[in-house]
Short mmCIF file of all heavy atoms in Angstrom, two decimals:
data_model
loop_
_atom_site.label_atom_id
_atom_site.label_comp_id
_atom_site.label_asym_id
_atom_site.label_seq_id
_atom_site.Cartn_x
_atom_site.Cartn_y
_atom_site.Cartn_z
N ARG F 34 43.02 2.80 -16.61
CA ARG F 34 44.06 3.38 -15.96
C ARG F 34 44.45 4.70 -16.93
O ARG F 34 44.84 5.79 -16.32
CB ARG F 34 45.29 2.40 -16.27
CG ARG F 34 46.61 3.19 -15.83
CD ARG F 34 47.81 2.16 -15.88
NE ARG F 34 48.97 2.94 -15.33
CZ ARG F 34 50.11 2.40 -14.99
NH1 ARG F 34 50.29 1.11 -15.23
NH2 ARG F 34 51.08 3.06 -14.44
N GLU F 38 44.89 8.28 -15.24
CA GLU F 38 46.06 9.05 -15.44
C GLU F 38 45.68 10.47 -16.12
O GLU F 38 46.23 11.59 -15.70
CB GLU F 38 47.01 8.42 -16.32
CG GLU F 38 47.54 7.19 -15.85
CD GLU F 38 48.48 7.27 -14.71
OE1 GLU F 38 48.81 8.43 -14.28
OE2 GLU F 38 48.86 6.34 -14.05
N LYS F 41 43.51 12.54 -13.16
CA LYS F 41 43.80 12.50 -11.66
C LYS F 41 44.25 13.89 -11.08
O LYS F 41 43.73 14.23 -9.90
CB LYS F 41 44.95 11.43 -11.40
CG LYS F 41 46.38 11.79 -12.05
CD LYS F 41 47.34 10.79 -11.86
CE LYS F 41 48.69 11.22 -12.35
NZ LYS F 41 49.64 10.06 -12.37
N TYR F 46 42.78 18.44 -7.68
CA TYR F 46 42.64 19.88 -7.31
C TYR F 46 41.30 20.42 -7.29
O TYR F 46 41.04 21.35 -6.42
CB TYR F 46 43.45 20.76 -8.45
CG TYR F 46 45.07 20.74 -8.29
CD1 TYR F 46 45.76 19.89 -9.08
CD2 TYR F 46 45.67 21.16 -7.05
CE1 TYR F 46 47.10 19.71 -8.87
CE2 TYR F 46 46.90 21.07 -6.85
CZ TYR F 46 47.77 20.32 -7.66
OH TYR F 46 49.06 20.21 -7.58
N TYR F 59 42.81 13.92 -1.84
CA TYR F 59 43.51 12.86 -2.48
C TYR F 59 42.57 11.64 -2.40
O TYR F 59 42.29 10.87 -3.36
CB TYR F 59 44.88 12.69 -1.74
CG TYR F 59 45.67 11.75 -2.48
CD1 TYR F 59 46.58 12.15 -3.55
CD2 TYR F 59 46.03 10.48 -1.98
CE1 TYR F 59 47.41 11.29 -4.26
CE2 TYR F 59 46.92 9.57 -2.61
CZ TYR F 59 47.54 10.05 -3.74
OH TYR F 59 48.40 9.12 -4.28
N ASP F 60 42.14 11.43 -1.15
CA ASP F 60 41.30 10.21 -0.88
C ASP F 60 39.93 10.22 -1.73
O ASP F 60 39.54 9.23 -2.32
CB ASP F 60 40.95 10.29 0.52
CG ASP F 60 40.35 8.98 1.03
OD1 ASP F 60 40.95 7.86 0.69
OD2 ASP F 60 39.23 8.90 1.49
N SER F 62 39.19 12.03 -4.46
CA SER F 62 39.41 11.99 -5.92
C SER F 62 39.62 10.50 -6.30
O SER F 62 39.11 10.00 -7.30
CB SER F 62 40.62 12.81 -6.31
OG SER F 62 41.89 12.35 -5.79
N GLN F 63 40.23 9.74 -5.51
CA GLN F 63 40.49 8.29 -5.73
C GLN F 63 39.17 7.50 -5.66
O GLN F 63 38.89 6.70 -6.37
CB GLN F 63 41.59 7.74 -4.84
CG GLN F 63 42.97 8.08 -5.13
CD GLN F 63 44.05 7.32 -4.44
OE1 GLN F 63 43.76 6.76 -3.41
NE2 GLN F 63 45.25 7.36 -4.99
N GLU F 64 38.44 7.76 -4.60
CA GLU F 64 37.15 7.17 -4.42
C GLU F 64 36.30 7.49 -5.66
O GLU F 64 35.47 6.63 -6.00
CB GLU F 64 36.53 7.87 -3.13
CG GLU F 64 35.22 7.15 -2.62
CD GLU F 64 35.39 5.62 -2.34
OE1 GLU F 64 36.36 5.22 -1.92
OE2 GLU F 64 34.33 4.94 -2.68
N ILE F 67 37.04 5.08 -8.33
CA ILE F 67 36.50 3.81 -7.84
C ILE F 67 35.08 3.72 -8.09
O ILE F 67 34.62 2.72 -8.73
CB ILE F 67 36.91 3.42 -6.42
CG1 ILE F 67 38.40 3.40 -6.26
CG2 ILE F 67 36.27 2.15 -5.99
CD1 ILE F 67 38.94 3.41 -4.86
N ARG F 95 30.38 16.68 -1.02
CA ARG F 95 29.33 17.18 -0.31
C ARG F 95 29.01 16.33 0.94
O ARG F 95 28.81 16.76 2.07
CB ARG F 95 27.96 17.41 -1.06
CG ARG F 95 26.85 17.95 -0.22
CD ARG F 95 25.84 18.57 -1.12
NE ARG F 95 25.45 17.78 -2.32
CZ ARG F 95 24.62 18.10 -3.34
NH1 ARG F 95 24.11 19.28 -3.34
NH2 ARG F 95 24.49 17.42 -4.27
N ASN F 96 28.94 15.07 0.83
CA ASN F 96 28.67 14.01 1.94
C ASN F 96 29.81 14.15 2.82
O ASN F 96 29.52 14.19 4.00
CB ASN F 96 28.58 12.58 1.37
CG ASN F 96 27.26 12.44 0.62
OD1 ASN F 96 26.44 13.26 0.73
ND2 ASN F 96 27.25 11.31 -0.12
N GLU F 126 48.26 27.89 4.22
CA GLU F 126 49.64 27.71 3.89
C GLU F 126 50.05 26.36 3.43
O GLU F 126 50.90 26.16 2.71
CB GLU F 126 50.52 28.07 5.14
CG GLU F 126 50.60 29.46 5.38
CD GLU F 126 49.38 30.09 6.06
OE1 GLU F 126 48.48 29.24 6.52
OE2 GLU F 126 49.24 31.34 6.13
N ILE F 128 48.37 24.53 1.36
CA ILE F 128 47.78 24.28 0.10
C ILE F 128 48.03 25.40 -0.87
O ILE F 128 47.97 25.13 -2.13
CB ILE F 128 46.22 23.89 0.11
CG1 ILE F 128 45.50 25.12 0.78
CG2 ILE F 128 45.93 22.64 0.77
CD1 ILE F 128 43.89 24.80 0.70
N MET F 129 48.58 26.46 -0.48
CA MET F 129 48.85 27.62 -1.31
C MET F 129 49.83 28.52 -0.79
O MET F 129 50.12 28.52 0.41
CB MET F 129 47.55 28.39 -1.81
CG MET F 129 46.99 29.10 -0.71
SD MET F 129 45.61 30.16 -1.20
CE MET F 129 44.30 29.05 -0.90
N LYS F 135 44.74 36.56 0.62
CA LYS F 135 44.35 35.22 0.33
C LYS F 135 43.83 34.33 1.52
O LYS F 135 42.86 33.57 1.47
CB LYS F 135 45.57 34.48 -0.32
CG LYS F 135 45.86 34.99 -1.79
CD LYS F 135 47.05 34.39 -2.22
CE LYS F 135 47.52 35.14 -3.57
NZ LYS F 135 48.90 34.72 -3.94
N GLN F 146 28.25 27.91 2.54
CA GLN F 146 27.49 26.56 2.29
C GLN F 146 28.04 25.85 1.16
O GLN F 146 28.52 26.56 0.21
CB GLN F 146 25.97 26.78 2.16
CG GLN F 146 25.25 27.17 3.39
CD GLN F 146 23.76 27.05 3.22
OE1 GLN F 146 23.25 26.97 2.15
NE2 GLN F 146 23.11 27.13 4.35
N GLN F 149 27.17 27.29 -2.45
CA GLN F 149 27.79 28.60 -2.71
C GLN F 149 29.34 28.46 -2.98
O GLN F 149 29.83 28.97 -3.80
CB GLN F 149 27.59 29.57 -1.39
CG GLN F 149 26.02 29.73 -1.37
CD GLN F 149 25.78 30.75 -0.16
OE1 GLN F 149 26.49 30.67 0.86
NE2 GLN F 149 24.71 31.48 -0.32
N ARG F 156 33.61 28.85 -11.00
CA ARG F 156 33.85 30.12 -11.81
C ARG F 156 35.29 30.65 -11.57
O ARG F 156 35.92 31.01 -12.47
CB ARG F 156 32.76 31.06 -11.44
CG ARG F 156 32.80 32.33 -12.19
CD ARG F 156 32.56 32.27 -13.73
NE ARG F 156 33.07 33.31 -14.40
CZ ARG F 156 33.75 33.25 -15.46
NH1 ARG F 156 33.91 31.97 -16.18
NH2 ARG F 156 34.25 34.17 -16.25
N HIS F 157 35.65 30.81 -10.19
CA HIS F 157 36.90 31.56 -10.05
C HIS F 157 38.16 30.64 -10.27
O HIS F 157 39.18 31.07 -10.70
CB HIS F 157 36.89 31.97 -8.54
CG HIS F 157 36.04 33.06 -8.28
ND1 HIS F 157 36.51 34.25 -7.58
CD2 HIS F 157 34.83 33.43 -8.69
CE1 HIS F 157 35.45 35.10 -7.44
NE2 HIS F 157 34.38 34.45 -8.13
N TYR F 163 29.56 30.30 -17.73
CA TYR F 163 28.22 30.27 -17.08
C TYR F 163 27.51 28.99 -17.80
O TYR F 163 26.90 28.24 -17.05
CB TYR F 163 27.40 31.44 -17.33
CG TYR F 163 28.01 32.68 -16.68
CD1 TYR F 163 27.89 34.01 -17.29
CD2 TYR F 163 28.57 32.66 -15.36
CE1 TYR F 163 28.34 35.22 -16.76
CE2 TYR F 163 29.08 33.79 -14.90
CZ TYR F 163 28.98 35.04 -15.53
OH TYR F 163 29.50 36.23 -14.92
N SER F 179 22.56 33.91 -10.67
CA SER F 179 21.99 34.39 -9.38
C SER F 179 22.64 33.72 -8.23
O SER F 179 22.90 34.36 -7.23
CB SER F 179 20.55 33.86 -9.53
OG SER F 179 19.90 33.80 -8.35
N TYR F 182 25.92 35.36 -7.59
CA TYR F 182 25.72 36.73 -7.01
C TYR F 182 25.56 36.65 -5.43
O TYR F 182 26.32 37.25 -4.71
CB TYR F 182 24.55 37.52 -7.58
CG TYR F 182 24.12 38.68 -6.87
CD1 TYR F 182 24.90 39.93 -6.99
CD2 TYR F 182 23.09 38.68 -5.83
CE1 TYR F 182 24.49 41.02 -6.22
CE2 TYR F 182 22.78 39.79 -5.18
CZ TYR F 182 23.46 40.94 -5.34
OH TYR F 182 23.17 42.06 -4.66
N ARG F 185 28.69 35.46 -3.80
CA ARG F 185 29.77 36.45 -3.71
C ARG F 185 29.34 37.49 -2.58
O ARG F 185 30.23 37.89 -1.91
CB ARG F 185 29.86 37.18 -5.02
CG ARG F 185 30.76 36.31 -5.98
CD ARG F 185 30.76 37.03 -7.42
NE ARG F 185 31.81 36.44 -8.17
CZ ARG F 185 31.81 36.47 -9.46
NH1 ARG F 185 30.81 37.09 -10.20
NH2 ARG F 185 32.71 35.75 -10.22
N ARG F 186 28.02 37.79 -2.48
CA ARG F 186 27.55 38.67 -1.50
C ARG F 186 27.89 38.09 -0.09
O ARG F 186 28.23 38.87 0.80
CB ARG F 186 26.15 38.88 -1.62
CG ARG F 186 25.74 40.34 -1.08
CD ARG F 186 24.38 40.76 -1.52
NE ARG F 186 23.40 39.91 -0.67
CZ ARG F 186 22.09 40.24 -0.66
NH1 ARG F 186 21.61 41.24 -1.39
NH2 ARG F 186 21.20 39.56 -0.09
N LYS F 187 27.50 36.83 0.04
CA LYS F 187 27.82 36.20 1.30
C LYS F 187 29.30 36.21 1.69
O LYS F 187 29.68 36.44 2.78
CB LYS F 187 27.28 34.63 1.26
CG LYS F 187 27.47 33.84 2.46
CD LYS F 187 26.31 34.29 3.50
CE LYS F 187 26.57 33.44 4.87
NZ LYS F 187 25.70 33.98 6.01
N ARG F 189 31.37 38.44 0.63
CA ARG F 189 31.86 39.68 1.06
C ARG F 189 31.36 40.04 2.45
O ARG F 189 32.08 40.58 3.32
CB ARG F 189 31.10 40.73 0.13
CG ARG F 189 31.51 42.24 0.37
CD ARG F 189 30.42 43.11 -0.01
NE ARG F 189 29.16 42.84 0.58
CZ ARG F 189 28.16 43.75 0.58
NH1 ARG F 189 28.26 44.76 0.03
NH2 ARG F 189 26.99 43.56 1.02
N GLU F 195 36.86 45.33 5.41
CA GLU F 195 37.89 45.68 4.31
C GLU F 195 37.24 45.56 2.92
O GLU F 195 37.71 46.16 1.96
CB GLU F 195 39.02 44.71 4.40
CG GLU F 195 40.32 45.30 3.92
CD GLU F 195 41.44 44.15 3.79
OE1 GLU F 195 41.53 43.43 4.80
OE2 GLU F 195 42.16 44.23 2.88
N TYR F 196 36.13 44.77 2.85
CA TYR F 196 35.49 44.65 1.59
C TYR F 196 34.22 45.46 1.58
O TYR F 196 33.30 45.15 0.86
CB TYR F 196 35.12 43.07 1.36
CG TYR F 196 36.54 42.41 0.93
CD1 TYR F 196 37.39 42.09 1.98
CD2 TYR F 196 36.68 42.09 -0.43
CE1 TYR F 196 38.64 41.38 1.63
CE2 TYR F 196 37.93 41.50 -0.65
CZ TYR F 196 38.89 41.07 0.35
OH TYR F 196 39.97 40.49 -0.01
N GLN G 7 21.93 42.50 -11.04
CA GLN G 7 22.79 41.46 -10.56
C GLN G 7 23.53 40.62 -11.49
O GLN G 7 24.66 40.19 -11.54
CB GLN G 7 22.09 40.56 -9.62
CG GLN G 7 21.64 41.29 -8.36
CD GLN G 7 20.50 40.58 -7.59
OE1 GLN G 7 20.04 39.47 -7.88
NE2 GLN G 7 19.97 41.24 -6.58
N GLU G 8 22.68 40.34 -12.70
CA GLU G 8 23.34 39.43 -13.90
C GLU G 8 24.45 40.35 -14.45
O GLU G 8 25.46 39.76 -14.76
CB GLU G 8 22.17 39.17 -14.79
CG GLU G 8 21.43 37.93 -14.46
CD GLU G 8 20.42 37.45 -15.53
OE1 GLU G 8 20.59 37.86 -16.66
OE2 GLU G 8 19.59 36.83 -15.19
N MET G 11 27.50 40.43 -12.47
CA MET G 11 28.33 39.10 -12.50
C MET G 11 29.16 39.12 -13.87
O MET G 11 30.31 38.80 -13.82
CB MET G 11 27.43 37.91 -12.46
CG MET G 11 26.69 37.72 -11.18
SD MET G 11 27.84 37.56 -9.79
CE MET G 11 27.75 39.20 -9.09
N ASP G 15 33.28 39.17 -13.94
CA ASP G 15 33.89 37.99 -14.59
C ASP G 15 34.65 38.50 -15.89
O ASP G 15 35.15 37.66 -16.47
CB ASP G 15 32.89 36.84 -14.85
CG ASP G 15 32.57 36.25 -13.52
OD1 ASP G 15 33.50 36.04 -12.67
OD2 ASP G 15 31.28 35.87 -13.33
N ARG G 35 24.62 50.65 -2.30
CA ARG G 35 24.83 49.22 -2.09
C ARG G 35 25.38 48.59 -3.31
O ARG G 35 26.43 47.78 -3.15
CB ARG G 35 23.27 48.75 -2.01
CG ARG G 35 23.16 47.22 -2.08
CD ARG G 35 21.70 46.84 -2.24
NE ARG G 35 21.77 45.45 -2.80
CZ ARG G 35 20.69 44.81 -3.23
NH1 ARG G 35 19.49 45.40 -3.16
NH2 ARG G 35 20.76 43.54 -3.64
N GLU G 39 29.04 46.69 -3.63
CA GLU G 39 29.12 45.34 -4.00
C GLU G 39 30.04 45.06 -5.17
O GLU G 39 30.89 44.22 -5.14
CB GLU G 39 27.78 44.84 -4.39
CG GLU G 39 26.96 44.41 -3.10
CD GLU G 39 25.52 43.90 -3.39
OE1 GLU G 39 25.24 43.80 -4.58
OE2 GLU G 39 24.73 43.66 -2.46
N ALA G 42 33.65 45.33 -4.11
CA ALA G 42 34.05 44.12 -3.27
C ALA G 42 34.16 42.86 -4.05
O ALA G 42 35.17 42.19 -4.10
CB ALA G 42 32.90 43.96 -2.17
N PHE G 43 33.22 42.72 -5.00
CA PHE G 43 33.33 41.57 -5.94
C PHE G 43 34.51 41.60 -6.89
O PHE G 43 35.20 40.54 -6.95
CB PHE G 43 32.03 41.36 -6.76
CG PHE G 43 30.82 41.20 -6.09
CD1 PHE G 43 29.44 41.34 -6.60
CD2 PHE G 43 30.81 40.75 -4.61
CE1 PHE G 43 28.26 41.13 -5.96
CE2 PHE G 43 29.50 40.57 -3.94
CZ PHE G 43 28.36 40.80 -4.62
N LYS G 45 37.26 43.08 -6.13
CA LYS G 45 38.45 42.66 -5.18
C LYS G 45 38.69 41.22 -4.87
O LYS G 45 39.75 40.69 -5.02
CB LYS G 45 38.32 43.58 -3.92
CG LYS G 45 39.50 43.79 -3.09
CD LYS G 45 39.28 44.74 -1.96
CE LYS G 45 40.56 44.69 -0.98
NZ LYS G 45 40.15 45.69 0.07
N ARG G 47 37.63 38.88 -6.69
CA ARG G 47 37.94 38.22 -7.98
C ARG G 47 39.49 38.24 -8.25
O ARG G 47 40.17 37.43 -8.51
CB ARG G 47 37.26 38.89 -9.16
CG ARG G 47 37.19 38.04 -10.35
CD ARG G 47 36.33 36.93 -10.33
NE ARG G 47 36.01 36.35 -11.68
CZ ARG G 47 36.72 35.11 -12.06
NH1 ARG G 47 37.68 34.61 -11.37
NH2 ARG G 47 36.51 34.72 -13.25
N THR G 50 41.37 35.98 -5.76
CA THR G 50 41.30 34.50 -6.11
C THR G 50 42.01 34.21 -7.36
O THR G 50 42.52 33.13 -7.64
CB THR G 50 39.90 33.97 -6.20
OG1 THR G 50 39.18 34.84 -7.15
CG2 THR G 50 39.12 34.05 -4.84
N ASN G 52 44.84 35.28 -8.08
CA ASN G 52 46.24 35.06 -7.78
C ASN G 52 46.63 34.03 -6.94
O ASN G 52 47.60 33.81 -6.46
CB ASN G 52 46.74 36.41 -7.11
CG ASN G 52 46.85 37.50 -8.19
OD1 ASN G 52 47.32 37.38 -9.41
ND2 ASN G 52 46.38 38.79 -7.82
N MET G 53 45.55 33.29 -6.53
CA MET G 53 45.85 32.09 -5.70
C MET G 53 46.35 30.90 -6.43
O MET G 53 45.85 30.37 -7.41
CB MET G 53 44.48 31.42 -5.08
CG MET G 53 43.97 32.38 -3.89
SD MET G 53 42.54 31.63 -3.25
CE MET G 53 42.12 32.70 -1.89
N GLN G 54 47.53 30.49 -6.16
CA GLN G 54 48.25 29.25 -6.80
C GLN G 54 48.25 28.18 -5.66
O GLN G 54 48.87 28.26 -4.62
CB GLN G 54 49.68 29.78 -7.04
CG GLN G 54 49.75 30.81 -8.17
CD GLN G 54 49.49 30.27 -9.53
OE1 GLN G 54 49.84 28.97 -9.81
NE2 GLN G 54 48.90 31.04 -10.44
N PHE G 55 47.76 27.07 -6.18
CA PHE G 55 47.68 25.92 -5.25
C PHE G 55 48.99 25.18 -5.41
O PHE G 55 49.57 24.94 -6.42
CB PHE G 55 46.52 25.05 -5.60
CG PHE G 55 45.22 25.69 -5.29
CD1 PHE G 55 44.56 26.64 -6.05
CD2 PHE G 55 44.68 25.44 -3.94
CE1 PHE G 55 43.46 27.18 -5.65
CE2 PHE G 55 43.46 26.26 -3.57
CZ PHE G 55 42.80 27.05 -4.41
N LYS G 56 49.47 24.75 -4.24
CA LYS G 56 50.72 24.03 -4.15
C LYS G 56 50.64 22.76 -4.95
O LYS G 56 49.69 22.04 -4.79
CB LYS G 56 51.22 23.80 -2.76
CG LYS G 56 51.74 25.04 -2.14
CD LYS G 56 52.21 24.58 -0.71
CE LYS G 56 52.77 25.87 -0.07
NZ LYS G 56 53.13 25.54 1.39
N GLU G 57 51.74 22.35 -5.61
CA GLU G 57 51.77 21.08 -6.33
C GLU G 57 52.13 20.00 -5.36
O GLU G 57 52.91 20.24 -4.37
CB GLU G 57 53.00 21.27 -7.42
CG GLU G 57 52.61 21.76 -8.73
CD GLU G 57 51.88 20.93 -9.64
OE1 GLU G 57 52.00 19.63 -9.39
OE2 GLU G 57 51.00 21.22 -10.33
N LEU G 58 51.45 18.91 -5.54
CA LEU G 58 51.85 17.70 -4.66
C LEU G 58 53.24 17.14 -5.11
O LEU G 58 53.45 17.21 -6.37
CB LEU G 58 50.78 16.56 -4.81
CG LEU G 58 49.52 16.81 -4.05
CD1 LEU G 58 48.52 15.57 -4.35
CD2 LEU G 58 49.69 16.71 -2.51
N TYR G 62 53.32 11.27 -5.04
CA TYR G 62 51.85 11.10 -4.89
C TYR G 62 51.26 10.62 -6.31
O TYR G 62 50.44 9.79 -6.34
CB TYR G 62 51.23 12.39 -4.55
CG TYR G 62 51.18 12.66 -3.12
CD1 TYR G 62 52.42 13.10 -2.45
CD2 TYR G 62 50.08 12.56 -2.20
CE1 TYR G 62 52.36 13.31 -1.03
CE2 TYR G 62 50.13 12.77 -0.95
CZ TYR G 62 51.26 13.13 -0.27
OH TYR G 62 51.27 13.33 1.00
N TRP G 63 51.78 11.32 -7.32
CA TRP G 63 51.27 11.07 -8.67
C TRP G 63 51.59 9.76 -9.17
O TRP G 63 50.89 9.02 -9.84
CB TRP G 63 51.48 12.16 -9.67
CG TRP G 63 51.06 13.50 -9.26
CD1 TRP G 63 51.77 14.72 -9.04
CD2 TRP G 63 49.68 13.80 -8.94
NE1 TRP G 63 50.84 15.70 -8.70
CE2 TRP G 63 49.54 15.18 -8.53
CE3 TRP G 63 48.44 13.10 -8.82
CZ2 TRP G 63 48.47 15.75 -8.09
CZ3 TRP G 63 47.33 13.70 -8.45
CH2 TRP G 63 47.26 15.03 -8.10
N TYR G 66 49.59 7.15 -7.57
CA TYR G 66 48.05 7.31 -7.67
C TYR G 66 47.32 6.20 -8.22
O TYR G 66 46.46 5.63 -7.61
CB TYR G 66 47.85 8.58 -8.47
CG TYR G 66 46.42 9.11 -8.31
CD1 TYR G 66 46.17 10.16 -7.33
CD2 TYR G 66 45.34 8.66 -9.12
CE1 TYR G 66 44.86 10.60 -7.08
CE2 TYR G 66 44.19 9.22 -8.94
CZ TYR G 66 43.89 10.19 -8.01
OH TYR G 66 42.52 10.67 -7.82
N TRP G 67 47.75 5.75 -9.46
CA TRP G 67 47.08 4.70 -10.19
C TRP G 67 47.07 3.40 -9.37
O TRP G 67 46.16 2.64 -9.29
CB TRP G 67 47.70 4.46 -11.54
CG TRP G 67 47.36 3.11 -12.14
CD1 TRP G 67 48.14 2.01 -12.22
CD2 TRP G 67 45.94 2.64 -12.46
NE1 TRP G 67 47.41 0.90 -12.71
CE2 TRP G 67 46.16 1.19 -12.87
CE3 TRP G 67 44.69 3.17 -12.46
CZ2 TRP G 67 45.07 0.45 -13.19
CZ3 TRP G 67 43.58 2.37 -12.88
CH2 TRP G 67 43.79 1.09 -13.25
N ASP G 69 47.37 3.07 -6.09
CA ASP G 69 46.34 3.19 -4.92
C ASP G 69 44.93 2.93 -5.47
O ASP G 69 44.16 2.29 -4.78
CB ASP G 69 46.41 4.56 -4.35
CG ASP G 69 47.71 4.70 -3.42
OD1 ASP G 69 48.40 3.80 -3.30
OD2 ASP G 69 48.03 5.83 -3.13
N ARG G 73 42.61 -0.10 -4.21
CA ARG G 73 41.46 0.11 -3.57
C ARG G 73 40.17 -0.51 -4.34
O ARG G 73 39.21 -0.96 -3.76
CB ARG G 73 41.11 1.63 -3.41
CG ARG G 73 42.04 2.22 -2.33
CD ARG G 73 41.96 3.77 -2.20
NE ARG G 73 40.64 4.11 -1.81
CZ ARG G 73 40.14 5.29 -1.56
NH1 ARG G 73 41.10 6.25 -1.81
NH2 ARG G 73 38.97 5.65 -1.28
N ARG G 142 21.48 13.86 1.77
CA ARG G 142 22.37 14.52 0.76
C ARG G 142 21.89 15.88 0.24
O ARG G 142 22.76 16.64 -0.06
CB ARG G 142 22.63 13.46 -0.27
CG ARG G 142 23.79 13.49 -1.11
CD ARG G 142 23.83 12.45 -2.08
NE ARG G 142 24.26 11.16 -1.55
CZ ARG G 142 24.10 10.01 -2.22
NH1 ARG G 142 23.69 10.08 -3.50
NH2 ARG G 142 24.54 8.89 -1.73
N TYR G 143 20.59 15.84 0.06
CA TYR G 143 20.07 17.10 -0.70
C TYR G 143 19.33 18.05 0.25
O TYR G 143 18.66 18.97 -0.22
CB TYR G 143 19.27 16.70 -1.85
CG TYR G 143 20.05 15.78 -2.79
CD1 TYR G 143 19.75 14.40 -2.84
CD2 TYR G 143 21.10 16.25 -3.51
CE1 TYR G 143 20.54 13.57 -3.63
CE2 TYR G 143 21.84 15.48 -4.28
CZ TYR G 143 21.50 14.12 -4.47
OH TYR G 143 22.20 13.37 -5.26
N GLU G 146 19.32 23.66 1.32
CA GLU G 146 19.25 24.47 0.07
C GLU G 146 20.14 25.77 0.11
O GLU G 146 20.82 26.03 1.08
CB GLU G 146 17.82 25.01 0.07
CG GLU G 146 16.74 23.93 -0.33
CD GLU G 146 17.07 23.38 -1.69
OE1 GLU G 146 17.18 24.19 -2.68
OE2 GLU G 146 17.13 22.18 -1.76
N GLU G 148 21.40 29.25 0.73
CA GLU G 148 21.03 30.29 1.44
C GLU G 148 21.03 31.68 0.73
O GLU G 148 21.93 31.92 0.05
CB GLU G 148 21.94 30.39 2.61
CG GLU G 148 21.39 31.31 3.74
CD GLU G 148 22.31 31.42 4.86
OE1 GLU G 148 23.22 32.29 4.85
OE2 GLU G 148 22.34 30.52 5.87
N ARG G 149 19.82 32.39 0.84
CA ARG G 149 19.87 33.47 0.10
C ARG G 149 19.70 34.79 1.13
O ARG G 149 18.95 34.54 2.02
CB ARG G 149 18.76 33.61 -0.96
CG ARG G 149 19.13 32.73 -2.06
CD ARG G 149 18.24 32.79 -3.34
NE ARG G 149 18.81 32.00 -4.21
CZ ARG G 149 18.35 32.08 -5.56
NH1 ARG G 149 17.17 32.62 -5.79
NH2 ARG G 149 18.92 31.25 -6.51
#
Side-chain angles (χ1 to χ4, degrees):
Chain F
R34 179 179 186 167
E38 297 289 355
K41 64 185 182 186
Y46 285 108
Y59 192 76
D60 190 55
S62 65
Q63 289 192 337
E64 184 61 31
I67 294 165
R95 181 162 39 189
N96 290 346
E126 285 75 12
I128 53 177
M129 68 176 91
K135 288 176 191 166
Q146 281 193 351
Q149 293 179 329
R156 183 65 202 136
H157 286 226
Y163 299 141
S179 163
Y182 170 78
R185 283 171 168 162
R186 206 170 74 168
K187 181 75 182 172
R189 184 205 58 165
E195 207 187 320
Y196 287 77
Chain G
Q7 290 159 11
E8 277 190 17
M11 293 303 95
D15 289 320
R35 172 194 156 188
E39 280 182 359
F43 295 167
K45 197 170 171 182
R47 196 77 171 95
T50 56
N52 292 315
M53 280 183 181
Q54 290 286 328
F55 290 86
K56 281 186 182 171
E57 277 281 333
L58 277 180
Y62 277 75
W63 299 124
Y66 194 92
W67 161 250
D69 288 347
R73 288 177 63 178
R142 202 180 282 173
Y143 304 108
E146 286 298 310
E148 191 181 88
R149 292 193 168 180

